Amino acid sequence: MPLGDAPFIASLPAHDIERAKRWYQDKLGLAPIMDMGPAGQVYRTGGSLWTIYQTPSAGTGKHTLGGWLVPDIDAAIADLRAKGVTFQEYAMGDEGPTTENGVSRNPDGSAAAWFIDSEGNVLALTQLPRGMALPGDVT
C-alpha cells in the first residue's frame, strides 16, 4: 500500500499512561477506543486516530505536538477552562505568537490557543480564517 493511501496516526508521549488517560477523560472528555497494551491507547477525534503511549521522554518537546480545529475557539476555550484546563500566554514577537487571555488572533479571523496536558505535551486549538474550510469539509 502506498503511504499516500495509508492512515497517518499521531502519537503523544506520557510519563504515566493512567494519569494521562484520566486527564484526557476529565479535562477533554475523551476516552480511548482501543487498548494496544504497551503500544498505547488509541483515541479517535473528528475522524482522526491518534495514540498516547508511555515513555520516559514525555514532555520534553516544547513545540505544539497536535491540536484540534474548532469552529468557535472562544466557546472551546470556555468549555475547557470550565474543566480546569489552563491556556498558555506567549509574547514571542517576531519569533512566534503573542496571546491575549490565552488566544493569538489574526486579522483574517483565524486564532490559536495552546495548553499543556498532564504529561507536559503542548496541544493547540485552532480556528481557521473566515471563509476557509478543509478540503472536503461541507460543514
Side-chain angles (χ1 to χ4, degrees):
M1 171 188 297
L3 288 182
D5 295 333
F8 181 83
I9 299 175
S11 299
L12 295 176
H15 282 288
D16 181 331
I17 194 74
E18 293 303 319
R19 177 180 61 202
K21 284 170 44 180
R22 284 189 307 275
W23 193 89
Y24 277 80
Q25 177 68 52
D26 295 347
K27 304 294 185 187
L28 306 184
L30 302 174
I33 62 167
M34 178 190 288
D35 181 345
M36 296 192 309
Q41 302 294 309
V42 178
Y43 290 78
R44 181 185 322 228
T45 56
S48 297
L49 295 172
W50 50 281
T51 64
I52 298 176
Y53 68 100
Q54 190 156 320
T55 175
S57 62
T60 59
K62 300 304 173 199
H63 56 285
T64 306
L65 292 179
W68 291 267
L69 291 175
V70 295
D72 182 342
I73 199 165
D74 295 312
I77 288 171
D79 180 56
L80 293 177
R81 280 186 171 149
K83 296 174 183 172
V85 175
T86 301
F87 286 83
Q88 302 299 295
E89 293 292 346
Y90 297 112
M92 299 176 74
D94 293 339
E95 298 295 316
T98 296
T99 58
E100 184 175 323
N101 197 25
V103 184
S104 174
R105 297 181 190 276
N106 295 310
D108 64 6
S110 63
W114 295 266
F115 59 95
I116 297 174
D117 73 3
S118 64
E119 307 308 300
N121 298 310
V122 179
L123 303 172
L125 299 177
T126 302
Q127 178 178 298
L128 294 175
R130 289 181 294 277
M132 182 183 287
L134 293 176
D137 187 359
V138 295
T139 58

